[in-house]
Amino acid sequence: MSDDEKVQVNVEYCGTCGHVKQFMDIVQQIQEATPGVEVTGFAGRQASFEVHVNGELVYSKLQTLAFPDFKETTEMVKGVTEGKPITKIIKQQPITCVIS
């Protein structure tokens, strides 16, 4: 894959919700599996965790209310580096609700 074809992942995450930890986790997983992939992110809208691959939205926490499955996300990104098409992420991390 040439630099012109480099896969780029961009994540908008909620900075006030503490989603930076999940952002750092997904960055680590993607970069370990596919070292040439550029992963960037920024603190954005409340409750967000929006994952874009090469500009295409592949997962939206604003729509699903859950984080994406990081393994599925990493596998899809790796596939894109191998020439496979970008696909939507279907699996989610379990929603945990704590009532205190």
Side-chain angles (χ1 to χ4, degrees):
M1 177 167 288
S2 71
D3 286 343
D4 292 341
E5 301 171 16
K6 184 178 267 189
V7 175
Q8 297 179 334
V9 178
N10 190 323
V11 179
E12 172 190 357
Y13 59 88
C14 177
T16 58
C17 298
H19 294 167
V20 70
K21 179 192 178 317
Q22 286 84 357
F23 169 67
M24 297 306 293
D25 289 347
I26 200 167
V27 168
Q28 181 180 4
Q29 287 185 33
I30 291 171
Q31 289 182 335
E32 284 177 1
T34 52
V37 171
E38 180 182 344
V39 184
T40 60
F42 64 97
R45 295 170 284 174
Q46 182 75 29
S48 65
F49 199 87
E50 313 302 286
V51 181
H52 292 81
V53 176
N54 291 348
E56 184 176 327
L57 180 66
V58 297
Y59 192 86
S60 172
K61 183 178 177 291
L62 292 174
Q63 294 173 0
T64 64
L65 304 178
F67 288 99
D69 181 88
F70 290 173
K71 182 177 179 184
E72 181 183 0
T73 305
T74 300
E75 289 172 358
M76 187 273 291
V77 169
K78 185 173 184 180
V80 172
T81 67
E82 297 167 348
K84 294 180 181 172
I86 296 170
T87 58
K88 301 284 186 196
I89 302 304
I90 305 299
K91 292 182 183 175
Q92 303 173 351
Q93 293 183 12
I95 298 174
T96 56
C97 182
V98 178
I99 300 174
S100 47

